[in-house]
Amino acid sequence: MQKKFTKGLIDGVPIGLGYLSVSFGFGILAVKLGIPVFHAWLISAACLTSAGQVAGIEIIAACGTLAEIAISQFVINLRYSLMGFSLTQKLDHSFTTAKRMLVSFGITDEVFAVAVSKKGKLSPAYMAGLITLPFCGWTCGTLAGALASHLLPKAITNALGILLYGMFIAIFTPPAKKSKPILLAVVLAAFCSVIIKYLFTFISGGFSIIFSALIASVVCAALFPIPDEEEL
């Protein structure tokens, strides 16, 4: 068990280091939007999702409703449910329901990618090790960024505050170059967001995110259906 946990820790080192730098930007952004340092850290500790957290704090900063936060989190983080369903086939027989629930909390895009790439079944000890450093990296980076926002010059914190947005651009740019549906989804979501902001000013920021994501998803699903032979 100890060897499997250690193996998981080693595999999680690159993810943890990456999260440490990116979440530093989230911590700065959260404080800039008026969220206290402890609350910024608590958000990262309770909700391990970069896109969901950014959407959440922006809705909070805009004085959005709990319904807006709940719906936006459901839409943005729905993919983690699909990842969980896929990953459950890789878990060994020693996983209890409680252990599955704990593992599901730590599933991120990168953790999922590493886990599914491993040969054979995955043990609870390995998954615990794999999740530990990414969680620590994300929460510690958030805390460091939130604290640094009070110490660093405003010019530097403003520059570092765009780290998360830079990460999002880095995530969708490579696949968008190769896939027209992805490129259209990104452009359409951005276009809808701008239209809502300036023409439909009665729509809050939270619902703007929800509507933009749903419109882009529906349009792309209608224009670019997956052929039968590609379905799994």
Side-chain angles (χ1 to χ4, degrees):
M1 181 179 294
Q2 182 64 38
K3 292 179 62 176
K4 292 181 179 179
F5 180 79
T6 302
K7 174 60 177 172
L9 281 178
I10 294 173
D11 289 345
V13 168
I15 304 175
L17 292 176
Y19 285 179
L20 183 66
S21 59
V22 173
S23 61
F24 188 87
F26 171 77
I28 291 177
L29 178 62
V31 172
K32 284 178 60 179
L33 292 177
I35 296 175
V37 172
F38 174 73
H39 291 170
W41 173 85
L42 188 60
I43 290 172
S44 281
C47 185
L48 199 61
T49 162
S50 57
Q53 288 181 214
V54 172
I57 63 173
E58 289 182 344
I59 295 173
I60 292 172
C63 298
T65 64
L66 292 177
E68 290 176 87
I69 295 177
I71 296 173
S72 66
Q73 295 306 301
F74 176 79
V75 173
I76 294 172
N77 298 320
L78 184 59
R79 71 186 188 279
Y80 292 125
S81 296
L82 303 179
M83 291 180 190
F85 286 134
S86 175
L87 188 59
T88 191
Q89 302 174 58
K90 294 276 294 180
L91 306 181
D92 67 23
H93 65 278
S94 65
F95 266 93
T96 62
T97 299
K99 291 178 180 178
R100 288 173 183 268
M101 293 176 66
L102 289 173
V103 167
S104 68
F105 169 78
I107 294 177
T108 64
D109 299 314
E110 294 76 15
V111 168
F112 172 77
V114 171
V116 297
S117 68
K118 295 298 177 181
K119 294 182 179 179
K121 296 291 185 177
L122 303 175
S123 68
Y126 174 81
M127 289 302 302
L130 180 62
I131 292 169
T132 297
L133 291 183
F135 175 80
C136 292
W138 188 258
T139 53
C140 290
T142 297
L143 181 60
L147 292 173
S149 65
H150 294 296
L151 303 175
L152 297 176
K154 187 175 181 179
I156 295 179
T157 57
N158 286 339
L160 292 175
I162 65 171
L163 277 174
L164 277 173
Y165 300 109
M167 181 196 72
F168 294 144
I169 293 174
I171 288 174
F172 71 71
T173 297
K177 290 181 178 179
K178 302 177 183 178
S179 172
K180 290 183 178 179
I182 294 177
L183 177 60
L184 177 61
V186 172
V187 173
L188 186 57
F191 177 76
C192 290
S193 180
V194 172
I195 293 298
I196 292 173
K197 179 177 178 61
Y198 291 103
L199 295 184
F200 300 93
T201 55
F202 60 90
I203 297 178
S204 65
F207 279 111
S208 173
I209 295 172
I210 296 167
F211 291 149
S212 298
L214 288 177
I215 291 171
S217 300
V218 170
V219 171
C220 289
L223 295 179
F224 303 100
I226 299 176
D228 291 341
E229 60 269 17
E230 293 185 19
E231 293 181 352
L232 299 178

